C-alpha cells in the first residue's frame, strides 16, 4: 500500500499545487520533484514494486485498501473500541492518503467513496490521539515533535497492556 502514494505523487502532473508560497513551489516543482523522482524510481525498482506497471501497482494498492477496510469493518479501531500500536501505524499510512496536499489520488478517492470506513477511522484516530491536530499543523510556534503537548496524566498515552 505504501508505494502507491509516492508513485502517484511523484509521477503525475499535478495541475493544482498546494499553497506553499511561490519560492518553495518553484523549488519543489522544478528542483526537488525531479530529483525525488529519480531516487524513488530506483528505490521502487529495488524494492520490487517498481517492476510493476502503473495499473498493476494500483491494483495491488486497491486490494490492500479493500482488505484493510474489510478487516476494520464496523469496528472503531482495528481490534475493538480502543486504539493500539497497529492503529498508529495504519493511521500514519492512511493519513498521508486522506490529507495529501495534492487532492485526487486514486487512494483518496476510494477512501472518500467506496471505502468510507477508512476515512471515518482516520477521523476517529485523529480526534482520539491528536485533539490539538490543527494547532500542531497550523502553528502557534509549536514544534510537532514537542512532548510538552502530551499530557502524561492521560491514561491512553502510556497505557500498559
Amino acid at each position: 500500500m505504501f508505494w502507491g502514494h509516492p508513485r502517484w505523487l511523484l509521477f503525475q502532473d499535478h495541475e493544482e499545487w498546494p499553497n506553499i508560497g511561490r519560492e518553495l513551489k518553484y523549488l519543489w516543482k522544478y528542483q526537488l520533484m525531479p530529483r525525488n523522482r529519480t531516487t524513488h524510481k530506483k528505490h521502487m525498482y529495488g524494492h520490487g514494486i517498481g517492476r510493476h506497471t502503473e495499473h498493476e501497482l494500483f491494483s495491488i494498492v486497491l486490494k490492500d485498501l479493500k482488505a484493510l477496510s474489510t478487516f476494520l469493518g464496523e469496528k472503531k479501531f482495528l481490534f475493538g473500541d480502543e486504539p493500539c500500536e497497529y492503529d498508529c501505524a495504519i493511521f500514519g499510512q492512511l493519513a498521508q492518503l486522506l490529507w495529501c496536499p495534492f487532492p485526487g489520488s486514486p487512494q483518496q478517492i476510494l477512501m472518500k467513496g467506496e471505502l468510507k470506513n477508512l476515512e471515518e477511522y482516520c477521523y476517529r484516530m485523529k480526534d482520539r490521539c491528536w485533539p490539538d491536530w490543527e494547532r500542531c499543523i497550523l502553528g502557534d510556534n509549536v514544534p510537532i515533535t514537542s512532548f510538552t503537548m502530551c499530557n502524561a496524566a492521560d491514561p491512553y498515552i502510556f497505557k500498559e497492556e
Side-chain angles (χ1 to χ4, degrees):
M1 182 177 76
F2 168 78
W3 287 106
H5 189 60
R7 170 65 178 89
W8 177 83
L9 185 64
L10 292 169
F11 297 98
Q12 297 296 317
D13 290 325
H14 303 283
E15 293 189 22
E16 290 293 322
W17 280 77
N19 186 15
I20 55 176
R22 193 174 74 209
E23 293 83 9
L24 186 57
K25 190 180 295 187
Y26 177 85
L27 177 69
W28 180 255
K29 188 173 184 177
Y30 297 107
Q31 293 180 4
L32 296 176
M33 274 293 231
R35 197 173 309 149
N36 282 341
R37 280 186 186 114
T38 303
T39 302
H40 272 75
K41 195 171 195 171
K42 288 178 184 175
H43 288 168
M44 289 174 72
Y45 189 83
H47 176 276
I49 200 77
R51 298 166 196 243
H52 294 282
T53 67
E54 182 178 1
H55 179 74
E56 291 170 334
L57 174 60
F58 285 112
S59 177
I60 292 167
V61 170
L62 172 63
K63 288 176 186 174
D64 287 347
L65 287 172
K66 283 186 173 183
L68 184 58
S69 176
T70 299
F71 183 82
L72 179 62
E74 297 298 317
K75 298 185 299 258
K76 287 175 111 177
F77 301 103
L78 292 174
F79 295 104
D81 290 337
E82 297 295 326
C84 66
E85 292 86 358
Y86 298 111
D87 288 293
C88 294
I90 294 297
F91 173 76
Q93 297 293 316
L94 294 179
Q96 294 178 65
L97 305 177
L98 185 59
W99 293 300
C100 174
F102 297 95
S105 74
Q107 301 93 321
Q108 185 184 66
I109 291 168
L110 278 169
M111 289 174 62
K112 289 180 175 252
E114 182 182 340
L115 308 178
K116 189 82 171 154
N117 69 332
L118 295 180
E119 178 185 24
E120 293 164 353
Y121 168 78
C122 284
Y123 278 99
R124 273 193 302 278
M125 280 294 291
K126 179 178 85 74
D127 292 344
R128 174 66 181 274
C129 299
W130 289 277
D132 54 353
W133 179 277
E134 284 75 20
R135 193 171 135 228
C136 290
I137 299 298
L138 299 175
D140 277 341
N141 297 321
V142 178
I144 293 174
T145 58
S146 171
F147 287 104
T148 60
M149 296 177 62
C150 295
N151 177 1
D154 183 344
Y156 298 106
I157 290 182
F158 300 108
K159 182 178 176 183
E160 293 185 26
E161 299 289 322

